[in-house]
Amino acid sequence: MRLSVILRNFKNVTEERLPKKKPYWLTKSNLEVPKRSRAIVDLIQIQKARLNEPGFFKRTILTRNHQRRNEFIEKDFFEQGPDVYAASRTIEYEGRFRMSGRTRWITKLEKPSGTLALNLNFQLDAVDLSQSTVNIDGLDHYVGCANLKAMYLSKCRYVDDWFLSRLAHEFKDQLLFLDLSECPSVGVTGLLALSRLKSLKKLRLYNLPPFDGKEAATMIFEENVPGCLVEGVDYEIEAVAGLLEAGDTQEQQGDIRLIGVDDKDREHVNENTRQSAQMN
């Protein structure tokens, strides 16, 4: 018992006397580097620190796969045709697609053999990219699909306002259905940009993150696209109407103030004319 206590005290004393290890940026080898080479050494040290971070290689591999999936390959596009190419990239996103005239979703693509002329019968009707890593660059895969009518983009973290602005520009005359439920990066600007989708018939906006102006942007969208059914946004018409009435009352008050200014100016002019008449 006494021996264990003595050894424990001896260990604590030796640990206190031993010098603590300095961080890599205060080491002697780093301090003796000339000023001209200091930037290069700092970059090397930063890279070493990143390599030592837990999960660095996993994040690097995921980032490269994300960039590769969103990269447009022109050679495959011209060899396979726009619809077959888009279907193959949808499978790489771990999504699914549906062909024109069919109701079954396809999750595994067997590329049709033959020339481009034979592949023209392969026409995409809908793509489901839910929970995928598609971003604004990934829209290049689907721009050439002239018969694409529906897109499911729920729970896509890279679907933001820039993405929706480009989507509304590219598919403004053909898209009929769009699902943006639980997309964490969607904002007011993206909802307003969707007003260019004049052909849209149904829009799903379930469980969007709370942000200012969501209800008002939805009402503006419904006014610009009257034939579209919006699902997932529950707003009180009375509250939004109150905001609009408040804006109208502010404009009316501004008009009243301008009228009052005009009346004062007229009274001032009348006084000047009276004074000039008395002088004469």
Side-chain angles (χ1 to χ4, degrees):
M1 183 67 180
R2 293 181 180 178
L3 181 61
S4 62
V5 173
I6 294 171
L7 292 175
R8 188 182 303 168
N9 295 332
F10 179 75
K11 182 180 180 181
N12 295 331
V13 172
T14 52
E15 288 180 353
E16 292 177 358
R17 291 181 179 180
L18 289 174
K20 296 182 179 180
K21 186 178 180 181
K22 294 182 179 180
Y24 65 90
W25 58 84
L26 294 178
T27 56
K28 185 177 180 181
S29 60
N30 193 13
L31 294 175
E32 293 178 355
V33 176
K35 293 182 179 180
R36 295 180 179 179
S37 304
R38 175 72 62 180
I40 299 174
V41 173
D42 290 341
L43 290 175
I44 295 173
Q45 298 288 6
I46 292 171
Q47 188 65 23
K48 287 182 178 179
R50 290 182 61 190
L51 291 173
N52 293 328
E53 290 179 359
F56 172 76
F57 290 104
K58 183 178 180 179
R59 289 195 302 273
T60 304
I61 293 172
L62 291 176
T63 303
R64 290 180 180 178
N65 291 335
H66 169 62
Q67 294 175 353
R68 181 178 58 82
R69 289 177 179 177
N70 289 289
E71 183 180 359
F72 180 74
I73 303 175
E74 187 176 359
K75 180 181 177 182
D76 295 344
F77 177 81
F78 286 106
E79 287 182 355
Q80 303 171 6
D83 292 278
V84 176
Y85 173 76
S88 63
R89 299 316 293 261
T90 302
I91 299 303
E92 290 184 7
Y93 282 122
E94 297 180 358
R96 56 180 185 170
F97 64 90
R98 189 176 62 207
M99 297 176 61
S100 298
R102 301 183 183 181
T103 58
R104 186 173 63 89
W105 289 93
I106 301 173
T107 57
K108 185 178 180 181
L109 175 64
E110 295 180 358
K111 297 180 181 179
S113 60
T115 60
L116 179 61
L118 295 177
N119 295 341
L120 292 177
N121 296 325
F122 188 96
Q123 296 179 353
L124 281 182
D125 180 70
V127 291
D128 187 357
L129 300 170
S130 301
Q131 302 183 12
S132 66
T133 57
V134 63
N135 60 7
I136 189 172
D137 296 327
L139 283 175
D140 293 335
H141 307 325
Y142 305 96
V143 171
C145 301
N147 298 299
L148 188 61
K149 303 298 181 184
M151 295 187 74
Y152 295 80
L153 301 171
S154 61
K155 299 181 181 180
C156 292
R157 55 179 177 174
Y158 297 109
V159 173
D160 53 4
D161 294 342
W162 291 99
F163 182 97
L164 296 179
S165 179
R166 188 187 175 192
L167 182 141
H169 175 71
E170 298 290 350
F171 301 97
K172 58 183 178 181
D173 296 327
Q174 67 181 79
L175 207 62
L176 301 178
F177 177 86
L178 182 62
D179 187 2
L180 300 175
S181 302
E182 301 184 33
C183 290
S185 303
V186 174
V188 176
T189 307
L191 294 180
L192 294 177
L194 296 178
S195 300
R196 288 179 286 179
L197 294 172
K198 301 298 183 181
S199 61
L200 201 64
K201 299 301 180 184
K202 183 180 288 188
L203 176 64
R204 288 182 181 175
L205 301 174
Y206 290 102
N207 298 328
L208 287 181
F211 53 84
D212 296 334
K214 179 169 64 174
E215 293 81 5
T218 306
M219 287 191 66
I220 294 172
F221 171 80
E222 289 181 344
E223 291 180 357
N224 293 325
V225 190
C228 181
L229 175 62
V230 180
E231 298 178 352
V233 178
D234 297 329
Y235 54 87
E236 297 180 358
I237 299 177
E238 297 178 356
V240 179
L243 293 175
L244 297 176
E245 290 178 359
D248 294 337
T249 53
Q250 289 179 0
E251 291 180 358
Q252 292 176 1
Q253 290 176 1
D255 295 338
I256 293 170
R257 290 176 183 175
L258 292 174
I259 292 171
V261 171
D262 293 338
D263 294 338
K264 290 180 181 179
D265 292 338
R266 290 176 183 175
E267 292 177 358
H268 182 69
V269 171
N270 294 329
E271 290 179 358
N272 291 334
T273 54
R274 290 175 183 175
Q275 292 177 2
S276 61
Q278 292 176 1
M279 293 293 292
N280 294 328

